[in-house]
Amino acid sequence: MNCNRKRIAAVFLLLVFLLAINGCSATEQDAETGEQASSGESASVKTAGISTEDMFSQRDKESGYDESAAVAVVLNGDQIACDSDQVEITGSTAVIKDAGTYLLSGILTNGQIVVEAEKTDKLQLVLNGVQANCDTSAVIYVKQADKVWVTLADGTENTLSNKNEFVAIDDNNIDSVIFSKEDLTLNGTGKLTIEAVYGHGIVSKDDLALTGGSYEITAASHALSGKDSIRIADGSFVLASGKDGLHAENTDDTSLGFIYIEEGEFHIISEGDGMDASAFLQIEGGSIDIQSGGGSENAAVQQEELFGAGGFGQQASTDTETETASTKGLKASETLTISGGTITVDSADDAMHSNADILIQGGVCTVATGDDGIHADAGVTIDNAEITVTESYEGIEGLTIDITGGTVSVIASDDGMNAAGGNDQSGFDGGMMQDRFASDSDSYIRISGGTVTINASGDGIDSNGNLYVSGGETYISGPTNSGNGALDYAGEAQVTGGVFIAAGESGMAQNFSSSSTQGAILVHVTGSASDGEVVLKDSNGNTLVSYTPQKSYGCILVSCPQIEQGKTYLLTAAGQSISIDMESLIYGSGGNVGGQPGGGNRPNGQMQPPGGF
């Protein structure tokens, strides 16, 4: 344990604050099965998270078996038949005592299959057309073994269920249709349907792995639960859960309780979180569709900013319950990493949430949420991904936000991006005053690449610290009320490259800081319902940049590499043409503000509207 944690910790600080997953590395292979010794499975680290190298053993992904050597266990109503002395049968309960492969078939109306072998034994249970129910306990109960594989035989349909509340049969808290105290892997190409009227669908108190098969699980609590981990290599999953769809939690070891998705097709409807990990959550690929907590339309009443509509905002009353079920889409206590796949989330609370960092380095993500589209208590990094937030309170929130590539589109009823000190202060948890007025030297938003489009009713980009723009293209349709701005920062805002166009109201407008090395133009446009295309041309009539804001606006901020000090430009906005003489690199931060005499200057490049306050 200690040696692996030290090794991982050295890389942890240099990369993305990843955690060791469990144990010192052990490479001894079981001579018969090729299974890695369970005392020391570990994973190597790469920049996008944890690699697949040691997540699954060779046997996890190979679901074949020798039927002629398997022990047949026949289920027949309220009876079980087996000719082997490796299986002890008492009425409708079969206890499997030794290593080997067991072929289960038939119907069991109210009974149980128990694995109670030696601690070093490995067993394979093949479900070959099984319909089995256990009214008050687990249908399959792995009490002791080294590891158990449950294989869904090719072309078969299998159904397991419970009907009543669980009744204790020993010291273990059995609370699922399949319950394992040991490492458990489900594989194969058949189908498994689980109906858990009470409790969970599948639970492992160690590692739970699924590498193939088709699963339809309806559970009163969690559909899939693993104490140390849930690892999914492939498969089809249709999950309906009264709590979380996937739930991994280890309260004894914070490096465990992780979820890893390599591939697979997921359709999850959860009353709680779609996927919830007490450690990290990593998605490499697959197709994931989640509705959590009834979706965005079922969100709690959101807070808007204080002091009434159009001012510094209106603080509507929020949900009065002090404790409510978590209804996030993807949730991790540690790093949430996405490097591929297609992900769709419709959630009442945050669509993607981490108490640490969120790293999105690939994939296509489309989310609708009643709170934050993406929220990290620490940093959010987006690179080479396609992110679309179709509905949110705040689009992207974190202590820091880095956009280095890809495509990001955000619609938000409050801020589009908010570097807010890392706390989940918006929406359900309140604290708007802290977000808006507190400066945080650790907070920043940095855009160095990609294409960012924001439609925000609050601030378009809001940093409680600094803003850095060095590349990419950023287009903002900001607020139509004077209590917010298309750009809002508490420290400084430097533009050194890229295209940046922001449209909003002028009451709280800010320009880029004088430390910028690329030119920026901030102008006010007249009219009560200004709209129309924004076009910037040079003195030769060449179009440099253009953008059509998605709603009315009162001022425009434009920056692009072609803006140079000492040259003249023509800006067309809201049907008006304004000649701009770039006497300094930053135009509109003082004196004659965008053609509005007496506009004046406010701290941090903030523009005072005509007539003052």
Side-chain angles (χ1 to χ4, degrees):
M1 180 70 73
N2 290 335
C3 67
N4 192 48
R5 286 182 178 172
K6 290 178 180 178
R7 184 170 63 251
I8 298 269
V11 184
F12 179 101
L13 295 174
L14 298 173
L15 300 175
V16 291
F17 303 102
L18 299 170
L19 296 173
I21 57 173
N22 66 321
C24 299
S25 176
T27 57
E28 308 92 60
Q29 303 286 320
D30 183 282
E32 179 181 356
T33 66
E35 173 69 11
Q36 208 173 47
S38 63
S39 61
E41 295 182 352
S42 65
S44 59
V45 175
K46 62 182 181 181
T47 56
I50 302 298
S51 78
T52 63
E53 183 178 349
D54 299 313
M55 280 290 168
F56 308 99
S57 69
Q58 182 179 354
R59 184 169 177 179
D60 284 338
K61 294 187 175 183
E62 292 181 357
S63 57
Y65 60 96
D66 184 355
E67 185 172 349
S68 64
V71 175
V73 179
V74 179
L75 313 178
N76 186 14
D78 58 358
Q79 300 292 320
I80 301 176
C82 181
D83 295 333
S84 173
D85 58 5
Q86 296 173 226
V87 181
E88 295 180 358
I89 298 174
T90 304
S92 59
T93 299
V95 180
I96 300 174
K97 307 291 289 186
D98 293 315
T101 298
Y102 298 83
L103 186 63
L104 282 64
S105 62
I107 298 174
L108 186 63
T109 56
N110 183 22
Q112 190 173 47
I113 306 298
V114 180
V115 174
E116 190 173 4
E118 295 295 326
K119 189 64 177 173
T120 55
D121 287 344
K122 302 179 190 294
L123 296 89
Q124 183 180 22
L125 307 182
V126 180
L127 304 188
N128 186 34
V130 171
Q131 296 182 41
N133 172 72
C134 186
D135 282 345
T136 59
S137 191
V139 177
I140 296 176
Y141 171 29
V142 179
K143 187 174 183 179
Q144 181 172 287
D146 177 40
K147 185 168 183 175
V148 172
W149 290 264
V150 174
T151 299
L152 310 178
D154 185 31
T156 65
E157 295 191 6
N158 307 275
T159 300
L160 308 179
S161 63
N162 87 303
K163 302 297 184 185
N164 297 305
E165 294 186 23
F166 290 93
V167 176
I169 60 175
D170 57 23
D171 292 338
N172 293 318
N173 181 26
I174 301 172
D175 57 1
S176 59
V177 172
I178 298 178
F179 183 89
S180 177
K181 290 287 291 179
E182 312 292 356
D183 288 340
L184 177 67
T185 295
L186 287 88
N187 59 19
T189 56
K191 179 178 180 179
L192 175 60
T193 299
I194 291 181
E195 299 173 0
V197 178
Y198 291 86
H200 313 296
I202 302 174
V203 170
S204 171
K205 292 300 183 181
D206 210 318
D207 291 318
L208 173 61
L210 301 99
T211 64
S214 176
Y215 302 85
E216 292 187 8
I217 301 176
T218 303
S221 293
H222 306 313
L224 300 175
S225 178
K227 181 178 180 181
D228 287 355
S229 68
I230 298 176
R231 314 173 184 207
I232 297 179
D234 206 351
S236 172
F237 303 85
V238 178
L239 311 178
S241 59
K243 292 186 177 178
D244 300 341
L246 277 65
H247 181 89
E249 181 179 16
N250 188 314
T251 58
D252 302 319
D253 188 339
T254 57
S255 70
L256 300 176
F258 64 83
I259 296 174
Y260 179 88
I261 308 293
E262 183 177 292
E263 271 291 346
E265 182 176 347
F266 300 82
H267 298 277
I268 301 173
I269 298 177
S270 61
E271 293 184 27
D273 301 316
M275 298 185 184
D276 179 12
S278 68
F280 67 82
L281 167 56
Q282 182 167 324
I283 298 171
E284 296 282 339
S287 174
I288 299 173
D289 185 359
I290 295 174
Q291 183 193 81
S292 58
S296 54
E297 66 179 20
N298 197 43
V301 176
Q302 294 288 3
Q303 294 189 48
E304 298 179 12
E305 300 163 68
L306 294 174
F307 309 131
F312 282 107
Q314 54 275 13
Q315 178 142 356
S317 61
T318 181
D319 205 1
T320 56
E321 295 183 62
T322 56
E323 292 186 11
T324 57
S326 181
T327 55
K328 296 174 173 63
L330 303 174
K331 185 175 80 172
S333 294
E334 298 300 331
T335 302
L336 167 57
T337 302
I338 298 172
S339 58
T342 301
I343 299 171
T344 303
V345 177
D346 184 9
S347 59
D349 200 346
D350 298 346
M352 300 178 183
H353 178 98
S354 171
N355 292 348
D357 298 306
I358 292 180
L359 175 63
I360 305 177
Q361 290 190 320
V364 178
C365 304
T366 304
V367 304
T369 171
D371 200 16
D372 298 339
I374 299 172
H375 172 91
D377 284 1
V380 175
T381 300
I382 298 173
D383 177 36
N384 194 33
E386 183 178 330
I387 309 293
T388 303
V389 180
T390 62
E391 180 181 355
S392 67
Y393 183 67
E394 292 193 320
I396 302 173
E397 183 178 56
L399 175 65
T400 63
I401 299 173
D402 285 276
I403 311 293
T404 62
T407 302
V408 178
S409 176
V410 170
I411 297 175
S413 62
D414 194 58
D415 299 341
M417 289 187 193
N418 187 359
N423 295 317
D424 196 2
Q425 299 289 357
S426 64
F428 299 158
D429 297 311
M432 287 303 299
M433 289 292 289
Q434 291 174 293
D435 276 354
R436 184 149 307 281
F437 300 115
S439 176
D440 190 328
S441 60
D442 294 328
S443 293
Y444 68 80
I445 295 173
R446 179 183 289 117
I447 301 172
S448 58
T451 301
V452 177
T453 305
I454 295 173
N455 184 337
S457 297
D459 297 321
I461 289 180
D462 180 359
S463 175
N464 285 3
N466 298 326
L467 169 66
Y468 307 101
V469 179
S470 61
E473 299 180 20
T474 303
Y475 304 98
I476 300 173
S477 295
T480 56
N481 69 77
S482 295
N484 295 282
L487 179 61
D488 183 6
Y489 58 90
E492 66 172 5
Q494 287 185 352
V495 58
T496 59
V499 173
F500 192 99
I501 303 178
E505 280 304 312
S506 58
M508 300 292 289
Q510 286 182 285
N511 201 340
F512 285 98
S513 302
S514 59
S515 58
S516 299
T517 60
Q518 177 172 292
I521 297 169
L522 176 64
V523 299
H524 177 86
V525 293
T526 60
S528 59
S530 302
D531 55 13
E533 186 179 23
V534 176
V535 180
L536 181 68
K537 295 183 178 182
D538 63 17
S539 58
N540 295 319
N542 298 313
T543 298
L544 305 181
V545 292
S546 64
Y547 171 62
T548 301
Q550 300 176 31
K551 50 194 168 184
S552 64
Y553 54 90
C555 70
I556 290 291
L557 172 61
V558 178
S559 179
C560 65
Q562 296 88 346
I563 299 176
E564 299 178 16
Q565 185 173 344
K567 294 189 175 181
T568 299
Y569 301 88
L570 182 67
L571 180 68
T572 301
Q576 304 167 44
S577 295
I578 304 170
S579 179
I580 309 294
D581 294 322
M582 295 296 294
E583 296 180 0
S584 63
L585 200 57
I586 304 300
Y587 177 93
S589 60
N592 187 345
V593 182
Q596 291 296 317
N601 186 37
R602 291 170 58 195
N604 298 322
Q606 187 164 313
M607 184 178 72
Q608 179 175 330
F613 286 103

